[in-house]
Amino acid sequence: MKDTLRALAAEGWTYLATNKVPNPERNAPSELADAVGTVLGIAAWAGTAAGVAGVIITGVMMAASVKRGEGSEHMSRLGMVLGGCILVSTAGPVVTFFFDEN
């Protein structure tokens, strides 16, 4: 078993070292590309709306806690909501940075 794995690893490194890495062309049907773009656009819009709603809800909860005189950990909740907002807003540019051919 170890010999087989070593042989596969050696062959893989040889394959990579000789620059024979396949680079397939993009040839998705335009209907599929349009549908995927629409779904991703809706998902981005929904993520942004959820982030805004999360910030508003956290703000309301913070205001209600202060009014009642209760201390709570709303800042950590706000940090998680803002972290999610950052993740949603940077998802597209990060993927484009790593996978764009230009």
Side-chain angles (χ1 to χ4, degrees):
M1 179 75 172
K2 286 184 181 180
D3 293 333
T4 304
L5 290 176
R6 285 183 184 151
L8 284 173
E11 185 175 334
W13 283 112
T14 304
Y15 190 78
L16 290 174
T18 58
N19 295 324
K20 293 182 181 178
V21 178
N23 189 12
E25 294 183 22
R26 298 179 184 185
N27 56 359
S30 61
E31 297 86 18
L32 178 64
D34 293 341
V36 169
T38 300
V39 169
L40 289 177
I42 292 171
W45 180 86
T48 302
V52 170
V55 170
I56 291 171
I57 291 169
T58 303
V60 168
M61 292 177 72
M62 287 172 73
S65 293
V66 168
K67 181 134 180 131
R68 288 183 288 198
E70 298 175 353
S72 62
E73 298 181 9
H74 292 294
M75 291 308 286
S76 65
R77 185 175 298 150
L78 181 62
M80 288 191 302
V81 169
L82 293 177
C85 291
I86 291 169
L87 185 63
V88 167
S89 65
T90 60
V94 167
V95 170
T96 301
F97 176 76
F98 284 110
F99 296 107
D100 194 21
E101 289 186 14
N102 295 330

